[in-house]
Amino acid sequence: MATNKIIVITAPSGSGKTTLVKRLLASTPQLMFSISACTRSPRPGEEHGKDYYFYDADTFQNLIAQNAFVEWEMVYTGKYYGTLIAEMNRIWDAQKSPLIDIDVQGALAVRNKYPNQCLTIFIQAPSIDELRKRLIARGTETPQTLEERIHKAEYELTFINQFDKTIINDNLDAAAEELNKIVTDFLKN
Ligand code: ADP
Ligand code: 5GP
């Protein structure tokens, strides 16, 4: 009998969330990645139904009107992102627990909706300076988007106390191990 648990992971951009989530999924077969809906364009290599459900704005708004979302948000100007109720049910029906990769506001919204089933985890870089270095090294940002992300990171860090667990991603292997242990313990109980 599935217990309908949910793992919610959030982090300021550049903290290493994607890297850690990939490792966690590879080592924890009870988890299934919860595929969000969004209206941004796919990046090279991204696939509909694997990375996201890529919808146009009309389709997304129809889904909002049908109350199809656990939560939805305009994360960036004009770009909607949301967690579908049907996606959670698809994963629970497969006897797995959804792993949701989401921004801070979305994470708190999911927890409000499912207060007794969620483990919420905040992943943090060791410092803002280190976050900046990682974003520069990743090579995905312009000077302007880099500053936007740093600014958003400082804001998101003010919510850190609202999460069940926080992990400082300094040494990657140590952080991956800590994440694995926290999630395994939660799924066991
Ligand atoms: P996020 O998904 O939170 O934006 P990423 O997983 O893309 O972050 O990581 C940001 C960058 O930092 C990537 O280039 C990644 O390889 C690197 N990175 C992740 N964890 C560490 C770590 N512990 N130490 C150094 N670099 C890291
Ligand atoms: P990206 O466009 O880089 O894939 O994601 C941008 C941000 O949107 C990330 O912080 C990611 O965690 C967040 N995000 C992804 N899916 C959802 C979702 O379903 N709901 C919300 N609120 N945020 C999401």
Side-chain angles (χ1 to χ4, degrees):
M1 174 67 189
T3 49
N4 290 4
K5 290 184 177 177
I6 305 169
I7 309 294
V8 181
I9 300 189
T10 199
S13 174
S15 308
K17 179 180 60 169
T18 306
T19 311
L20 286 166
V21 161
K22 279 190 184 152
R23 286 196 180 201
L24 180 65
L25 284 167
S27 65
T28 317
Q30 303 101 296
L31 295 179
M32 200 181 277
F33 182 66
S34 167
I35 303 163
S36 292
C38 78
T39 64
R40 75 155 167 79
S41 307
R43 294 176 185 143
E46 286 185 335
E47 286 174 37
H48 176 81
K50 179 169 169 273
D51 301 283
Y52 281 103
Y53 299 111
F54 293 103
Y55 293 134
D56 60 27
D58 277 355
T59 307
F60 199 101
Q61 273 156 5
N62 280 334
L63 289 166
I64 295 173
Q66 292 161 28
N67 291 319
F69 288 107
V70 177
E71 61 77 45
W72 63 270
E73 235 187 292
M74 196 184 279
V75 175
Y76 299 115
T77 316
K79 302 297 174 205
Y80 292 101
Y81 291 75
T83 309
L84 291 159
I85 295 168
E87 177 69 4
M88 311 280 282
N89 288 331
R90 178 181 78 84
I91 295 172
W92 285 324
D93 286 350
Q95 307 294 306
K96 307 262 183 186
S97 296
L99 188 160
I100 304 182
D101 166 338
I102 197 167
D103 78 342
V104 167
Q105 301 306 322
L108 298 175
V110 173
R111 209 240 321 263
N112 277 344
K113 201 122 177 191
Y114 299 101
N116 303 316
Q117 292 158 247
C118 285
L119 173 67
T120 58
I121 302 170
F122 191 107
I123 293 166
Q124 190 186 9
S127 66
I128 289 286
D129 272 358
E130 175 63 20
L131 189 73
R132 182 185 291 276
K133 280 189 200 144
R134 286 183 193 174
L135 283 170
I136 292 170
R138 194 171 67 182
T140 50
E141 308 310 316
T142 65
Q144 191 194 345
T145 64
L146 177 69
E147 289 318 313
E148 277 171 17
R149 280 171 194 256
I150 296 291
H151 188 72
K152 190 173 183 217
E154 284 168 339
Y155 173 70
E156 288 178 327
L157 280 163
T158 65
F159 292 90
I160 196 164
N161 291 336
Q162 299 190 37
F163 285 76
D164 297 322
K165 302 279 180 188
T166 61
I167 294 177
I168 298 176
N169 177 21
D170 189 356
N171 176 288
L172 181 60
D173 287 338
E177 199 175 310
E178 190 182 353
L179 179 62
N180 204 313
K181 186 177 181 324
I182 287 169
V183 170
T184 305
D185 284 351
F186 176 76
L187 292 175
K188 233 173 19 203
N189 295 317

